[in-house]
Amino acid sequence: MIVAVKTQAVKIKELKLDIERIGPVSAILMQPDNARACCVLAHGAGTDMRHASMDKIAVGLAERGIATLRFNFPYTENKQGRPDQPAVAHATIRAAVEEAARLCPRLKLVAGGKSFGGRMTSQAQSKAALPGVRGLAFLGFPLHADKKPSTERAQHLAHVEIPMLFLQGTRDGLADLGLLRPAVAALGAKATLHEIEGGDHSFAVLKKSGRTNDEALAEVLDTLAGWIDKLG
């Protein structure tokens, strides 16, 4: 299927990823004609690849010349309530990365996603490099559970050797900036933190901020696209 996004055509392809010893999951490739990169985009724990927020991100990146490969984790594909074990999530992410590389062989490849999806991607990368992936992007890194400040979830990031971008709302209840800022700083030059002023875990802002949720999301996507362009 081909749809128009602003002034350009975007190809949308529905796919099935076959995860070894786990089974198939659905995926969607959205590729604008002028694509210069592809982002493998994993969804958060309480959503799936077709959630309105994921669609907005994919469309917004397409408008900026970035293709996306979205996919379901097995638990969402099979309509189970509890997220998959990390090993299952990692295997799913690897299959998605391999498919993105096959379908978009000439495009710069990055990976990451929303919340749980981004964290599972970084865990997978820390255990064994995702082939061809040049950087990881986190759209709301879940540093800890709500109202339970901790940095344990960041410990594996020290084993990630490629650039990382943390896009984080300053009102995010799952990432105390007093803990996240030093955790990112400890990673050195390979890590970048961009704070979305007034944004929560989904980058929604309060009305009194003087801007809309769409404007906050535009900042997220502009920052992400600019960071991707600078990757070697």
Side-chain angles (χ1 to χ4, degrees), residues 1 3 15 43 80 102 164 168 175 178 186 188 198 211 219:
M1 179 172 63
V3 299
L15 308 163
H43 64 75
Q80 298 170 340
R102 184 183 72 82
M164 291 172 277
Q168 215 76 34
R211 62 173 176 168
E219 179 185 345

Side-chain angles (χ1 to χ4, degrees), residues 86 89-91 93-94 119-130 156:
H90 300 167
I93 290 163
R94 290 188 183 282
R119 183 165 70 97
M120 290 299 103
T121 301
S122 61
Q123 284 185 2
Q125 174 70 27
S126 73
K127 292 180 177 297
L130 296 165
H156 70 280

Side-chain angles (χ1 to χ4, degrees), residues 14 21 52 55 64 89 123 129 151 156 184 194 203 205 213 232:
E14 301 265 351
R21 296 191 298 276
D55 193 56
R64 293 160 175 79
Q123 284 185 2
T151 59
H156 70 280
V184 172
H194 182 91
F203 306 117
V205 293
N213 292 342

Side-chain angles (χ1 to χ4, degrees), residues 53 86 139 148 162:
S53 63
L139 284 74
K148 295 182 179 180
I162 58 177

Side-chain angles (χ1 to χ4, degrees), residues 6 11 13 17 27 34 36 54 61 63 69 85 95 99 105-106 110 156-157 189 200-201 203 206 213 216 220 229:
K6 285 192 175 179
K11 298 174 183 175
K13 186 175 183 179
L17 304 178
N34 67 342
R36 60 188 183 277
M54 293 291 287
L61 287 175
E63 292 172 349
L69 180 68
Q85 291 297 313
E99 186 68 1
R106 292 179 294 278
V110 298
H156 70 280
L157 298 173
D200 65 10
H201 191 59
F203 306 117
L206 299 174
N213 292 342
V220 170
D229 287 341

Side-chain angles (χ1 to χ4, degrees), residues 24-230:
V25 296
S26 301
I28 303 172
L29 176 68
M30 181 177 282
Q31 184 174 359
D33 283 348
N34 67 342
R36 60 188 183 277
C38 179
C39 180
V40 178
L41 190 64
H43 64 75
T47 65
D48 62 19
M49 69 172 186
R50 297 185 188 275
H51 190 270
S53 63
M54 293 291 287
D55 193 56
K56 273 192 172 184
I57 292 168
V59 170
L61 287 175
E63 292 172 349
R64 293 160 175 79
I66 309 295
T68 54
L69 180 68
R70 289 176 278 164
F71 59 94
N72 279 337
F73 286 108
Y75 79 96
T76 50
E77 183 75 9
N78 298 314
K79 295 180 171 53
Q80 298 170 340
R82 188 173 181 177
D84 299 309
Q85 291 297 313
V88 173
H90 300 167
T92 306
I93 290 163
R94 290 188 183 282
V97 166
E98 291 174 5
E99 186 68 1
R102 184 183 72 82
L103 294 172
C104 307
R106 292 179 294 278
L107 300 185
K108 185 184 301 184
L109 189 61
V110 298
K114 278 290 300 167
S115 197
F116 168 83
R119 183 165 70 97
M120 290 299 103
T121 301
S122 61
Q123 284 185 2
Q125 174 70 27
S126 73
K127 292 180 177 297
L130 296 165
V133 171
R134 300 192 191 183
L136 302 181
F138 311 115
L139 284 74
F141 188 84
L143 184 63
H144 51 73
D146 189 31
K147 299 179 182 178
K148 295 182 179 180
S150 169
T151 59
E152 289 182 9
R153 291 181 178 178
Q155 292 177 359
H156 70 280
L157 298 173
H159 302 290
V160 174
E161 300 297 334
I162 58 177
M164 291 172 277
L165 174 65
F166 295 79
L167 294 154
Q168 215 76 34
T170 59
R171 293 191 304 117
D172 190 340
L174 276 64
D176 183 330
L177 288 175
L179 298 176
L180 183 63
R181 287 171 182 147
V184 172
L187 297 172
K190 66 184 177 182
T192 301
L193 172 62
H194 182 91
E195 297 177 19
I196 308 301
E197 183 61 38
D200 65 10
H201 191 59
S202 299
F203 306 117
V205 293
L206 299 174
K207 287 184 179 180
K208 66 181 181 181
S209 70
R211 62 173 176 168
T212 66
N213 292 342
D214 285 345
E215 288 170 337
L217 181 60
E219 179 185 345
V220 170
L221 300 180
D222 285 343
T223 303
L224 176 53
W227 176 81
I228 290 172
D229 287 341
K230 293 177 182 177

